[in-house]
Amino acid sequence: MLCLALLACLLFLAQAIAAAGAEDQRYRLASGDVLRITVYGDLGLSGSFPIGTDGTIGYPLLGNITAAGKSIDEVRETIDAGLKVHIANLSASVVVEAYAPVFIVGEVQKPGRYEFRPGMIALELFALGGGQKEALAQGENAGVQLAGLRQEYADLGMQLLAQDVKRARLEAELNERDFSYVAREELGTPDPRIVQQVVQSERTLFELRRATLATELESLEVQKKSYVEEIDTLERSGKLRDGELALLDEDVKQARTMVDRGITSKTQLREKQREISATNRDVLEFGSFLARARQNLTAIDGRLVSMRGQRRGDVAAELREVNIDILRLRRKMAYSVQAMAEAGIALQKKDGSRQAAFRFSAIRLLDGQYKEVEVGQTDPVMAGDILRVSLALEEGDVVVQR
């Protein structure tokens, strides 16, 4: 009976949900995916990079980098290794900003384009397409809807977990304390392995952001120390110049007295006057250097204050957005619980007078060519797939293809 088979598929789907996080780690990039690459400390090397039909991305300094068929970590390692050749102490973060969409056609209520998620299976995409056409649904669609709702609820739970961990990381940054996370009971009982992966990802970002800020602050402190030392040197040199100027002034006075008495010539007086004039110019030049050094020191102090304030402001703004997203996710999950309850009641009421079997095939890009291959209900869907759905009505032991 298809009813029993469908229930078995639903149980398998629940298990597949728990493994979704692991699928993200094993996901192999495909043409059409868009990567978000962030290089901390160099905005010119950060941005969105789509994977072309040739399987590569065009990246500054490094040229075309093969991405299709590789994992995110492999691409990140390739970029890190390439950047080290040109610029020291740069580290890249790579995430999938957008997956290549998937499509569903055939005997479904809502054929068309849908967003891809690593770990997605054929039955899930079928559920997103609304299940079998209304003419054949009559009770069967409740089971498909329930599968889709369960998948949606699990996805919302994963998003809520990710946002909750991100909130803990932002709060740690805002309060300048170490990052730690303990899963909340209200999130349910997510797979500990998935929790660990999400927490580790945020921890890596936390450590990288903290190290980047510390490096920038340390650089400014070094510059500040240099200006303080320069100002001290100039001030001490200025005192020496003032002493020299006072002595020269005495020499000029003595020379003028001797000229008035006829003891010496005016030439010697003029020499002393030129010497004191040159010393005055040096004093003025040193004064200019000292003023410039003090201005630079003031600017450095301002940048130190501004950098800390700006970072706190950015984190606070991001934290506000995360809190809003968490509120939205909680509302969506509450709606999903209600919808699942309604679909469960509808599934119990179906009379089973008309049964249907689903057949799936995927049109996908293989070795540069589109090919159609048979897939099972619980087989994974690949990014960029076009899933074709056909239905077979079961009349006794006879299967009628449609």
Side-chain angles (χ1 to χ4, degrees), residues 123-294:
L123 185 59
E124 177 186 350
L125 182 53
F126 179 50
L128 292 175
Q132 61 193 42
K133 286 185 176 178
E134 193 64 31
L136 293 175
Q138 298 182 0
E140 281 297 319
N141 205 40
V144 177
Q145 288 178 346
L146 184 58
L149 289 169
R150 285 175 174 170
Q151 178 66 64
E152 181 182 3
Y153 184 80
D155 286 345
L156 290 172
M158 286 292 300
Q159 294 176 43
L160 183 58
L161 170 65
Q163 291 295 85
D164 198 49
V165 177
K166 182 178 180 180
R167 177 169 62 180
R169 189 257 298 172
L170 291 173
E171 289 175 345
E173 288 187 14
L174 188 63
N175 299 319
E176 297 184 356
R177 56 177 171 78
D178 291 337
F179 167 67
S180 62
Y181 180 80
V182 178
R184 305 172 190 266
E185 293 183 1
E186 58 195 45
L187 298 178
T189 55
D191 188 331
R193 294 173 299 176
I194 297 177
V195 175
Q196 183 180 4
Q197 290 170 0
V198 175
V199 171
Q200 185 56 46
S201 176
E202 290 293 336
R203 187 183 305 282
T204 300
L205 180 57
F206 173 80
E207 296 295 343
L208 184 58
R209 285 166 64 93
R210 183 164 66 174
T212 300
L213 178 61
T215 300
E216 293 174 352
L217 292 175
E218 183 180 357
S219 176
L220 289 176
E221 290 290 352
V222 169
Q223 294 181 48
K224 178 179 179 179
K225 181 180 178 181
S226 175
Y227 286 130
V228 169
E229 292 175 350
E230 181 180 357
I231 289 172
D232 181 64
T233 300
L234 289 173
E235 287 178 341
R236 286 189 282 110
S237 178
K239 291 179 180 179
L240 292 176
R241 291 284 177 177
D242 289 342
E244 291 178 3
L245 192 60
L247 293 175
L248 287 172
D249 189 54
E250 290 295 330
D251 289 345
V252 169
K253 289 179 180 179
Q254 291 178 4
R256 183 176 290 112
T257 300
M258 295 175 69
V259 168
D260 292 341
R261 293 179 180 180
I263 299 175
T264 185
S265 65
K266 291 184 178 181
T267 301
Q268 291 184 353
L269 175 60
R270 286 195 291 272
E271 287 294 333
K272 292 294 182 181
Q273 289 174 334
R274 281 195 289 269
E275 189 174 350
I276 198 171
S277 177
T279 303
N280 276 322
R281 285 196 300 271
D282 290 343
V283 169
L284 290 175
E285 186 175 1
F286 270 90
S288 175
F289 291 156
L290 182 59
R292 191 157 46 241
R294 285 173 175 165

Side-chain angles (χ1 to χ4, degrees), residues 34 36 39 51 64 72 94 103 117 120 140 149 168 204 229 232-233 240 250 268 274 297 337 342 372-374 394 397:
V34 180
R36 180 66 187 178
V39 177
I51 302 177
N64 290 336
I72 291 177
V94 182
F103 302 84
R117 181 190 60 78
M120 176 181 283
E140 281 297 319
L149 289 169
T204 300
E229 292 175 350
D232 181 64
T233 300
L240 292 176
E250 290 295 330
Q268 291 184 353
R274 281 195 289 269
L297 179 60
V337 169
E342 294 174 355
E372 186 166 1
V373 296
E374 295 293 327
E394 294 182 355
D397 294 331

Side-chain angles (χ1 to χ4, degrees), residues 3 7 139 142-143 146 340-352:
C3 180
L7 290 176
L146 184 58
M340 282 191 294
E342 294 174 355
I345 293 173
L347 184 62
Q348 292 175 1
K349 289 183 177 180
K350 73 182 184 68
D351 58 12

Side-chain angles (χ1 to χ4, degrees), residues 23-41:
E23 288 292 338
D24 286 344
Q25 300 299 317
R26 296 192 297 268
Y27 175 70
R28 294 290 167 177
L29 297 167
S31 296
D33 289 346
V34 180
L35 301 182
R36 180 66 187 178
I37 301 175
T38 303
V39 177
Y40 297 95

Side-chain angles (χ1 to χ4, degrees), residues 216-221 224 297-309:
E216 293 174 352
L217 292 175
E218 183 180 357
S219 176
L220 289 176
E221 290 290 352
K224 178 179 179 179
L297 179 60
T298 301
I300 290 294
D301 285 333
R303 288 178 61 188
L304 284 168
V305 175
S306 174
M307 181 176 294
R308 290 191 175 95

Side-chain angles (χ1 to χ4, degrees), residues 53-156:
T53 55
D54 61 351
T56 66
I57 60 172
Y59 191 72
L61 294 180
L62 307 183
N64 290 336
I65 298 176
T66 300
K70 293 187 176 182
S71 68
I72 291 177
D73 285 342
E74 289 173 338
V75 174
R76 176 182 55 76
E77 290 169 359
T78 299
I79 293 174
D80 279 346
L83 290 178
K84 288 179 181 177
V85 175
H86 300 278
I87 307 173
N89 300 322
L90 286 185
S91 178
S93 170
V94 182
V95 297
V96 179
E97 187 175 73
Y99 294 100
V102 289
F103 302 84
I104 186 167
V105 297
E107 297 292 333
V108 291
Q109 293 194 47
K110 297 182 292 183
R113 166 178 172 161
Y114 293 89
E115 292 185 4
F116 173 78
R117 181 190 60 78
M120 176 181 283
I121 61 174
L123 185 59
E124 177 186 350
L125 182 53
F126 179 50
L128 292 175
Q132 61 193 42
K133 286 185 176 178
E134 193 64 31
L136 293 175
Q138 298 182 0
E140 281 297 319
N141 205 40
V144 177
Q145 288 178 346
L146 184 58
L149 289 169
R150 285 175 174 170
Q151 178 66 64
E152 181 182 3
Y153 184 80
D155 286 345
L156 290 172

